[in-house]
Amino acid sequence: MVIAIIAILAALLLPALNRAKTEAISAQCMSDKKQMQLAWTMYANDFNDHLAINADQSKDFIVGGVVMHDWCEGIMDWTSSSQNTNFGYLINPIVSSMGSYNANAYSIYHCPADIFLSPAQRALGWNNRCRSISMDGAVGDGTKYTFSNWGGDQMWWAIKGSDLIAPGPSMSWVFIDEHPDSIDDEVLYLNPAETSGTGVFTELPASLHNNACGISFADGHAEIHKWVNAETIHPVTYTVIDQVSVTLNVDLAWLARRTPRAP
């Protein structure tokens, strides 16, 4: 009887404990996103409203004859490449422009809910990959990937904070947790024209907070956003996932409406 009572109590308490753990992880994720967002704002303040460089494949960018480093570097994948654990790519000023603005706190580049490692990486004794976030491809200058099916007027990006007009800062997303199978470089592209939800996820956002994702906005706030469609909530398979075509996907529509476009 005592064992039965203990089992019943455990069954009642475990869901509450799991909820508390989930809420604690979500709170930490939000704190990290807000800190990243503050660093992003401080950078713009120091550079006459010019946003941090956000170039495809972490390429340096020349502005006025001066080489400007990307906001961070490093390619995440499922191999044993040292880039997966090299914090220098995140905070070393030789390669990263934003590290000093967040006091070199490399842990904020990684969502605490992302505990995924490939078998090869676990064999090396890693705790996690060093980065799980990406920046909106429509925010920050730099060399960008060209999507031939987007149309010339849709491939646009904000160079200065004052460019964030459509939509405004409170609706323009900047940092997002990217799906562990999709993340590679530091950019995630969304087509702002796909507000109907029909189109393509060039790469998937993460859904590690109980089918939700951490995301921050240009005005400084952050939120955990719950995804709805099954195509968005993709299980981690340790394979590369990109170019996911969807139809009437409310999650794609939500992100598209919050992706900066030309005023």
Side-chain angles (χ1 to χ4, degrees), residues 237-254:
T237 59
Y238 303 101
T239 58
V240 177
I241 296 175
D242 57 13
Q243 300 293 315
V244 179
S245 298
V246 294
T247 301
L248 300 178
N249 183 295
V250 297
D251 302 322
L252 179 64
W254 187 89

Side-chain angles (χ1 to χ4, degrees), residues 6-244:
I6 292 173
I8 293 171
L9 291 174
L12 293 172
L13 289 174
L14 281 176
L17 292 173
N18 287 334
R19 282 195 301 272
K21 181 179 179 180
T22 298
E23 290 173 1
I25 292 174
S26 296
Q28 182 61 57
C29 180
M30 289 299 90
S31 176
D32 292 346
K33 295 293 183 299
K34 289 177 182 178
Q35 189 171 339
M36 283 297 303
Q37 202 61 53
L38 177 60
W40 181 81
T41 301
M42 292 169 62
Y43 177 98
N45 290 341
D46 279 355
F47 285 87
N48 194 29
D49 199 38
H50 282 84
L51 305 177
I53 300 300
N54 183 29
D56 195 73
Q57 295 294 307
S58 310
K59 298 182 181 72
D60 288 337
F61 193 66
I62 299 176
V63 180
V66 178
V67 176
M68 303 292 289
H69 297 306
D70 209 59
W71 70 277
C72 78
E73 292 191 9
I75 303 298
M76 301 294 103
D77 59 22
W78 292 126
T79 74
S80 58
S81 167
S82 62
Q83 293 192 41
N84 287 293
T85 56
N86 191 335
F87 299 119
Y89 283 114
L90 310 179
I91 61 175
N92 190 328
I94 295 176
V95 295
S96 168
S97 65
M98 278 184 53
S100 61
Y101 287 91
N102 54 46
N104 295 330
Y106 54 79
S107 63
I108 67 175
Y109 292 76
H110 172 263
C111 173
D114 187 347
I115 58 173
F116 295 92
L117 291 168
S118 69
Q121 293 168 345
R122 290 192 182 280
L124 293 172
W126 294 359
N127 293 319
N128 53 259
R129 295 185 290 182
C130 63
R131 177 174 58 83
S132 62
I133 64 171
S134 294
M135 189 187 289
D136 185 352
V139 172
D141 207 358
T143 304
K144 308 287 183 176
Y145 187 84
T146 300
F147 295 91
S148 59
N149 60 326
W150 280 24
D153 61 336
Q154 296 166 4
M155 192 59 207
W156 177 91
W157 55 90
I159 296 175
K160 303 182 73 174
S162 57
D163 294 334
L164 297 173
I165 298 173
S170 66
M171 284 277 286
S172 294
W173 74 270
V174 179
F175 294 104
I176 195 169
D177 291 326
E178 189 168 341
H179 193 287
D181 284 330
S182 285
I183 194 166
D184 44 26
D185 68 359
E186 79 292 355
V187 186
L188 193 152
Y189 298 98
L190 259 298
N191 187 342
E194 294 175 346
T195 54
S196 69
T198 297
V200 177
F201 281 107
T202 59
E203 294 172 313
L204 285 174
S207 52
L208 305 179
H209 293 279
N210 193 22
N211 298 337
C213 178
I215 185 168
S216 67
F217 294 80
D219 70 338
H221 86 276
E223 61 185 74
I224 299 290
H225 182 74
K226 190 86 168 179
W227 303 125
V228 175
N229 294 108
E231 301 99 326
T232 316
I233 308 168
H234 199 285
V236 177
T237 59
Y238 303 101
T239 58
V240 177
I241 296 175
D242 57 13
Q243 300 293 315
V244 179

